[in-house]
Amino acid sequence: MLCTRLTNARVLTLDPHHPVARDLGIWRGRIVGVDEAVTSLPAREVVDLQGATVLPGFIDSHVHLAWAGLKARTPSVAPCERIEDILAVVDAAARRPAPPGAWLDVAGYDQRALGRHLTAAELDRVSHGRKVLLMHDSGHACVVSTAVLDLLPAEVEHEEGFLAESAMTAARRLRLPYSQEELADAIEHAARAALAEGITACAEAGIGGGLLGHSPVELGAYQLLRDRGRLPVRVQLMASGDTLRPRGTHPDDGFTQALDLGLRTGFGDDRLSLGALKIYTDGGMMARTAALTSPYEGDEGTDGNTGRFQDDPERLARLIVDGHLAGWQLAVHAIGDRAADLALDALEQAQKLKPRPEARHRIEHAGLIRPDQLPRFAELGVSAVIQPNFLRYFGDDYATVMGERRAGWMYRGRGFLDHGVTLVGSSDRPVTDGSPLRAIQFMVERASVSGRIIGGEEAIGVDEALRAYTVAGAYACHWDDRAGSLSPGKRADLVVLGDDPHRVDPSRIGDIEIVTTYVDGRDTRDARDTRDTP
């Protein structure tokens, strides 16, 4: 007997052997079959979906759940576009009662509308002596008050209180880490928001590092949620590259750096597991720190700026090679084309030293990829994990600072697919909107929210965009044997939509209703709040 049979639906399985179905059978959290294989079988529950569209649950292959949850509970200066308005928000937040010595975190900072960065001196006028950290929306920079600057080591560089990349990490390391309970609450909050958008699984893009997360025991917060039944989506954790340590291993092991106890990609269970090793090479376009081969254009003050690497390029390349030798799948953050060169060169060297054809290494973001770099992705078998909503929301600005020649190279779609590169969709939540459907709409239209077409030749079809958030996401996370399509034996993780993305005007894809999301064959609308479950 089936546990559940969904009927009277338009089931888009993403399985080429049976692409469209009307009925879908579920038993013990797995898909048994579709149509004639299950239609006549008895079921404890038969759900008439009244013509709704069913898809595999969306997989967001690059998120920051802890950061997203913490940001949602932090005072924000968005969408302030004047310095005095930002300072008014900081002033109000700084006046609230707080324990002695407590830091004041403020989110939502973006200098682009201001024309320049705020300064420590300006924050000092409204900080009331507090240690203030104004977090840039990109996650790659911040502005701090003098009370923070006074605590930083003398060698940490800053520009009147503006800290980018490793300098920001140095500031964050001055403070007490978040508690596991605080992180767990933040993660759950963000995960439930993702679930409401049809996401059933995601990859947390870097735990244990100093850039975004701030806890040496961050993984424990995820385990706490799983053990209490409060982790609503499947999560694969990427370990930050700086968690690797030199190890006195046996020469036959072939590597000299590893995570404690030799843990690596693949450890864990069906709900929570360890994924790729996350290695940051450069910054971001929003903060103007993505590493480019040619300078940013069209933005006053950035003449000659080609961004920056997170560390010495040789050390970064060595870390990539060491991670590969230690058996990790690698997820290399590279937004600018200069950073992509570094990543591709290091991955090529790593594969020559120790060939691992099934490593499924990934380049995260791949924000600006030159035409000559596309064949290298394909030759090395590297997936491109992009964030289409970056261009949907920030594309007008990005196209301006990249210039006409490079605008079409950003967050490519067609170029990757035509070269046989696995194209993977993701959000980088909370940097921008996490909705897969809005991202899919952009991949099809290539239109920003203002209506500007950005790299129109990179547009792809609806089915190709859906695959980026299902089949390709599963492949990139080594889940393709259990997720990504609605095939017999795979997880019964699925999303029910109010319409078929193929059948609506592309401009309406992002507005399609998420009717409900199923995880393990269970309708999550029926899930009770397990917050207090032991």
Side-chain angles (χ1 to χ4, degrees), residues 343-395:
L344 292 167
D345 288 346
L347 290 171
E348 182 177 15
Q349 180 189 4
Q351 290 285 17
K352 286 179 179 177
L353 290 172
K354 186 177 182 180
R356 290 174 51 212
E358 286 303 310
R360 301 190 190 181
H361 295 321
R362 312 156 36 141
I363 289 186
E364 309 298 299
H365 307 297
L368 187 76
I369 300 300
R370 302 187 310 270
D372 64 288
Q373 292 174 318
L374 292 170
R376 295 200 67 198
F377 272 78
E379 290 162 9
L380 292 169
V382 173
S383 299
V385 184
I386 65 166
Q387 296 74 42
N389 274 338
F390 278 13
L391 290 190
R392 177 175 168 81
Y393 293 98
F394 312 138

Side-chain angles (χ1 to χ4, degrees), residues 8-253:
N8 190 20
R10 178 170 169 77
V11 183
L12 306 179
T13 67
L14 277 296
D15 180 347
H17 300 295
H18 200 134
V20 182
R22 184 179 185 277
D23 286 9
L24 185 145
I26 299 168
W27 184 70
R28 293 190 176 182
R30 296 278 173 166
I31 296 164
V32 173
V34 296
D35 287 347
E36 63 276 2
V38 298
T39 301
S40 60
L41 296 178
R44 293 194 188 99
E45 178 186 34
V46 177
V47 181
D48 185 343
L49 290 177
Q50 301 178 348
T53 297
V54 176
L55 281 166
F58 295 127
I59 297 171
D60 191 334
S61 299
H62 185 118
V63 300
H64 300 282
L65 294 179
W67 178 25
L70 291 167
K71 182 179 180 181
R73 304 173 185 196
T74 300
S76 177
V77 297
C80 297
E81 295 185 349
R82 299 189 311 161
I83 289 173
E84 53 265 40
D85 294 336
I86 291 176
L87 295 178
V89 172
V90 176
D91 179 58
R95 291 176 183 272
R96 296 173 190 163
W103 287 59
L104 173 60
D105 288 303
V106 183
Y109 172 61
D110 185 346
Q111 88 289 354
R112 291 174 299 171
L114 309 177
R116 66 171 177 85
H117 283 293
L118 265 72
T119 66
E122 288 168 328
L123 287 181
D124 291 345
R125 298 205 307 263
V126 294
S127 68
H128 302 277
R130 299 277 301 274
K131 295 186 282 289
V132 178
L133 191 149
L134 183 59
M135 186 71 167
H136 197 277
D137 262 345
S138 67
H140 288 270
C142 64
V143 180
V144 299
S145 62
T146 300
V148 176
L149 294 179
D150 288 344
L151 299 175
L152 286 170
E155 67 272 13
V156 174
E157 296 182 1
H158 68 90
E159 300 167 22
E160 297 184 278
F162 173 71
L163 306 172
E165 311 303 347
S166 59
M168 181 186 72
T169 300
R172 292 175 66 88
R173 285 177 173 157
L174 293 171
R175 59 194 305 177
L176 189 70
Y178 295 112
S179 71
Q180 285 197 354
E181 290 286 357
E182 188 176 11
L183 285 174
D185 286 345
I187 293 162
E188 182 182 19
H189 177 87
R192 292 198 180 281
L195 188 70
E197 293 173 338
I199 295 165
T200 57
C202 59
E204 170 69 51
I207 64 166
L211 192 62
L212 297 175
H214 184 58
S215 169
V217 289
E218 194 172 350
L219 191 149
Y222 286 89
Q223 287 187 281
L224 195 68
L225 285 174
R226 186 201 58 189
D227 294 346
R228 293 177 179 176
R230 289 172 47 196
L231 192 60
V233 299
R234 304 183 196 281
V235 179
Q236 185 179 88
L237 302 170
M238 299 184 200
S240 179
D242 55 14
T243 60
L244 287 193
R245 296 286 183 269
R247 300 293 173 197
T249 59
H250 192 283
D252 289 350
D253 291 338

Side-chain angles (χ1 to χ4, degrees), residues 14 56-62 199-203 234 236 238 329 360 362 364 383-386 417 421-427 443 463-485 490-491:
L14 277 296
F58 295 127
I59 297 171
D60 191 334
S61 299
H62 185 118
I199 295 165
T200 57
C202 59
R234 304 183 196 281
Q236 185 179 88
M238 299 184 200
Q329 178 190 23
R360 301 190 190 181
R362 312 156 36 141
E364 309 298 299
S383 299
V385 184
I386 65 166
L417 292 180
V421 177
T422 300
L423 179 68
V424 184
S426 68
S427 69
M443 296 171 86
D463 202 55
E464 292 168 319
L466 289 173
R467 291 180 69 84
Y469 274 89
T470 54
V471 176
Y475 175 85
C477 295
H478 288 271
W479 285 332
D480 47 316
D481 62 338
R482 70 200 90 157
S485 65
K490 292 192 176 182
R491 302 166 178 161

Side-chain angles (χ1 to χ4, degrees), residues 212-533:
L212 297 175
H214 184 58
S215 169
V217 289
E218 194 172 350
L219 191 149
Y222 286 89
Q223 287 187 281
L224 195 68
L225 285 174
R226 186 201 58 189
D227 294 346
R228 293 177 179 176
R230 289 172 47 196
L231 192 60
V233 299
R234 304 183 196 281
V235 179
Q236 185 179 88
L237 302 170
M238 299 184 200
S240 179
D242 55 14
T243 60
L244 287 193
R245 296 286 183 269
R247 300 293 173 197
T249 59
H250 192 283
D252 289 350
D253 291 338
F255 58 90
T256 58
Q257 292 202 68
L259 207 60
D260 285 346
L261 302 178
L263 293 176
R264 58 178 173 81
T265 303
F267 183 80
D269 59 28
D270 209 37
R271 179 67 61 153
L272 181 65
S273 60
L274 193 57
L277 185 71
K278 173 73 178 294
I279 298 173
Y280 290 92
T281 64
D282 67 344
M285 287 186 190
M286 192 189 306
R288 312 302 195 238
T289 53
L292 311 178
T293 52
S294 299
Y296 290 88
E297 298 179 12
D299 189 39
E300 188 178 350
T302 63
D303 247 1
N305 174 27
T306 56
R308 64 185 76 176
F309 286 118
Q310 293 277 358
D311 199 348
D312 176 75
E314 290 187 9
R315 279 199 292 268
L316 291 171
R318 187 66 217 171
L319 182 57
I320 291 170
V321 172
D322 285 346
H324 173 88
L325 296 178
W328 287 89
Q329 178 190 23
L330 299 174
V332 184
H333 168 116
I335 292 185
D337 60 331
R338 184 160 57 107
D341 279 335
L342 185 153
L344 292 167
D345 288 346
L347 290 171
E348 182 177 15
Q349 180 189 4
Q351 290 285 17
K352 286 179 179 177
L353 290 172
K354 186 177 182 180
R356 290 174 51 212
E358 286 303 310
R360 301 190 190 181
H361 295 321
R362 312 156 36 141
I363 289 186
E364 309 298 299
H365 307 297
L368 187 76
I369 300 300
R370 302 187 310 270
D372 64 288
Q373 292 174 318
L374 292 170
R376 295 200 67 198
F377 272 78
E379 290 162 9
L380 292 169
V382 173
S383 299
V385 184
I386 65 166
Q387 296 74 42
N389 274 338
F390 278 13
L391 290 190
R392 177 175 168 81
Y393 293 98
F394 312 138
D396 292 358
D397 170 63
Y398 286 10
T400 298
V401 297
M402 288 302 110
E404 184 177 352
R405 181 175 66 94
R406 295 182 292 183
W409 300 352
M410 295 190 296
Y411 298 94
R412 291 175 178 268
R414 176 56 54 202
F416 283 126
L417 292 180
D418 284 354
H419 282 80
V421 177
T422 300
L423 179 68
V424 184
S426 68
S427 69
D428 205 13
R429 181 192 304 263
V431 175
T432 191
D433 187 340
S435 165
L437 285 176
R438 280 189 276 277
I440 287 164
Q441 176 178 323
F442 176 82
M443 296 171 86
V444 175
E445 290 188 308
R446 298 289 298 192
S448 72
V449 289
S450 73
R452 179 176 180 175
I453 301 299
I454 302 169
E457 67 280 3
E458 291 295 323
I460 62 176
V462 171
D463 202 55
E464 292 168 319
L466 289 173
R467 291 180 69 84
Y469 274 89
T470 54
V471 176
Y475 175 85
C477 295
H478 288 271
W479 285 332
D480 47 316
D481 62 338
R482 70 200 90 157
S485 65
L486 299 178
S487 307
K490 292 192 176 182
R491 302 166 178 161
D493 294 353
L494 52 95
V495 57
V496 182
L497 305 180
D499 216 330
D500 181 349
H502 299 85
R503 295 184 172 183
V504 302
D505 188 273
S507 64
R508 289 186 50 227
I509 291 174
D511 297 322
I512 293 174
E513 177 191 5
I514 305 290
V515 177
T516 190
T517 308
Y518 281 72
V519 177
D520 279 329
R522 297 185 181 92
D523 188 338
T524 57
R525 291 176 300 186
D526 301 332
R528 63 190 179 95
D529 188 352
T530 56
R531 182 179 300 276
D532 299 319
T533 301

